[in-house]
Amino acid sequence: MQYDGHVDAGFEAVADVFARNFAETTELGAAVTVFHGGRKVVDLWGGTADERTGRPWVAETAVPVMSAGKGVLALCVHLLVQRGLLDLDAPVARYWPEFARNGKEGITARMILAHRAGLPVLDASPSFAEITAWTPVVRALEEQKPLWEPGAAHEYHGHTIGWLAGELVRRITGLTPGAYFRSAVADGLGLRTWIGLPEDEYEGLARLAYDGEPPALPDPDHLFTRILTMNGAFVFPGLDHPRGWNSKDFLTAEIAGTGAVSTARGLAGTYAAAVTGIDGEPRLLTEETVDAALRPQTSGASWSGFPDLGVRWGVGFHLDSPPVVPMLGPRSFGHDGAGGHLGFADDEFGVGFGYVANRMIGEGDERAGRLVAAVKECLEGLPEEGLLVS
């Protein structure tokens, strides 16, 4: 396998695994970046960005990273908490008064970030155009009743968390979540990560492609299908449909829960900035803020009876949950994305990690887990003076 980039001495095993992923799986195009102690120690990319044309993956190639954007959104929320602008345990209505209707008066930001707010799917069925306009979804959520007593159970708020947490960001800062992230984090560090892709970046994206036949969904009225498709507004599994996950209209809108776009460098740099700082900048999140984000909130079977897959959530982030969401240990936090993407931070090891790919493999996908295991092996093999923690 031919790939480009570099690894620092001591991290060669990551390059070996990156090459093995192409040789031993159906990897199409991918990239992995690792920061350690604020320094980029792994930066690799290779393969094909667009299966239709054979266009190669290059250093600056970004790709739709789906729910990996939830971690970016959670970072924005925790920045507001750290700055004293948001109380996780105050009613959302303190910041968003119109939300306090129909049994939602006691819902807190913590419940939203833990997928416990009782609002995993809309009762209304806005059109694709209305969804990409932001405000119609906000209005629908204001009118909706929770499916259960808020805080008493959990169900993955796959898309809705983007508007629920994102509108909190907008009410407090005056900026939509994508604009706030660029202003507070990404622009200053030159990170190629977006919630709401600039139109002039679209043609250079890697395009998502399935591994074989696309997966089938349950009946359109099934809760899982409604969550995934926003009641049919998004087309799944038609990736290249005008309302699919490769579409320009989907990716340039601010679909904050599932529509992020990033390079591996962007995800890794975001998380490294959070726990160690990069480019000489101080870390974005204090140790106390990370402590708060790591507090377990949600695990086990869901309200609808969806089985326990072993995934654990802190406050807006996945916690280390091998083999489903593999990270480095108890101080790790981040988020994966459908198709194999993974970004996370660990302030014990001083690491920011990002892996992105365009082949959506699905169940049994071990690509990110192999890379994380290689990173851990490399860190354990470094001399004491080389282990840079925050």
Side-chain angles (χ1 to χ4, degrees):
M1 160 62 191
Q2 289 293 113
Y3 59 83
D4 293 301
H6 83 277
V7 294
D8 281 9
F11 289 88
E12 295 87 354
V14 183
D16 293 342
V17 171
F18 187 69
R20 278 180 48 214
N21 277 350
F22 280 92
E24 298 175 4
T25 77
T26 57
E27 190 80 281
L28 177 61
V32 60
T33 302
V34 182
F35 284 81
H36 180 227
R39 188 180 73 247
K40 194 187 304 175
V41 296
V42 175
D43 193 32
L44 302 170
W45 62 90
T48 301
D50 189 337
E51 193 172 32
R52 305 168 307 170
T53 65
R55 174 167 53 88
W57 198 294
V58 298
E60 297 301 313
T61 297
V63 64
V65 296
M66 314 302 290
S67 287
K70 289 181 172 71
V72 176
L73 179 60
L75 172 63
C76 293
V77 174
H78 283 284
L79 285 173
L80 297 179
V81 174
Q82 184 171 279
R83 293 168 184 175
L85 300 174
L86 172 64
D87 181 344
L88 286 172
D89 295 310
V92 167
R94 175 186 294 182
Y95 313 96
W96 176 5
E98 300 90 338
F99 187 74
R101 299 174 186 167
N102 298 321
K104 302 191 300 299
E105 295 82 358
I107 291 177
T108 65
R110 184 184 302 277
M111 292 176 192
I112 289 170
L113 292 177
H115 302 269
R116 305 183 74 86
L119 302 166
V121 67
L122 293 179
D123 291 339
S125 296
S127 67
F128 181 79
E130 288 172 326
I131 288 171
T132 59
W134 186 269
T135 301
V137 179
V138 170
R139 296 289 174 261
L141 288 166
E142 290 171 356
E143 297 303 324
Q144 187 156 327
K145 295 180 180 179
L147 293 180
W148 61 82
E149 178 65 28
H154 75 92
E155 189 79 49
Y156 191 50
H157 287 45
H159 289 293
T160 55
I161 194 172
W163 285 275
L164 290 165
E167 183 65 7
L168 268 173
V169 171
R170 192 186 74 82
R171 293 290 175 128
I172 292 168
T173 69
L175 298 173
T176 54
Y180 178 70
F181 171 69
R182 295 301 308 180
S183 172
V185 180
D187 284 344
L189 297 173
L191 301 176
R192 290 177 54 76
T193 301
W194 299 274
I195 298 172
L197 183 73
E199 290 199 11
D200 60 2
E201 293 282 352
Y202 178 74
E203 292 302 324
L205 292 185
R207 297 186 70 85
L208 301 173
Y210 288 117
D211 180 25
E213 289 298 312
L217 289 180
D219 180 273
D221 292 330
H222 191 284
L223 182 65
F224 177 76
T225 303
R226 293 177 59 211
I227 290 172
L228 190 64
T229 67
M230 288 285 282
N231 293 337
F234 299 145
V235 172
F236 179 87
L239 294 176
D240 293 319
H241 188 280
R243 291 184 282 123
W245 291 338
N246 277 328
S247 82
K248 185 176 183 179
D249 287 343
F250 180 88
L251 297 172
T252 56
E254 291 196 32
I255 312 297
T258 52
V261 172
S262 186
T263 61
R265 289 175 182 172
L267 280 183
T270 296
Y271 282 109
V275 296
T276 64
I278 60 174
D279 296 340
E281 295 293 323
R283 60 185 286 177
L284 293 174
L285 300 182
T286 65
E287 185 175 350
E288 293 74 20
T289 298
V290 173
D291 289 344
L294 287 168
R295 289 176 188 145
Q297 304 291 314
T298 294
S299 62
S302 75
W303 172 80
S304 67
F306 198 80
D308 178 8
L309 300 178
V311 180
R312 300 183 306 128
W313 278 271
V315 184
F317 298 104
H318 284 314
L319 306 178
D320 185 28
S321 308
V324 185
V325 188
M327 300 186 219
L328 294 176
R331 295 293 296 181
S332 296
F333 62 95
H335 215 289
D336 67 354
H341 319 288
L342 178 63
F344 71 86
D346 190 299
D347 66 354
E348 178 182 358
F349 288 98
V351 163
F353 175 94
Y355 165 74
V356 300
N358 59 347
R359 178 72 80 199
M360 300 185 71
I361 291 180
E363 187 175 355
D365 183 3
E366 297 181 346
R367 294 169 297 172
R370 289 175 167 189
L371 291 163
V372 173
V375 171
K376 192 167 188 177
E377 174 189 329
C378 293
L379 291 169
E380 290 171 346
L382 291 178
E384 192 69 28
E385 63 271 17
L387 187 59
L388 302 175
V389 295
S390 60

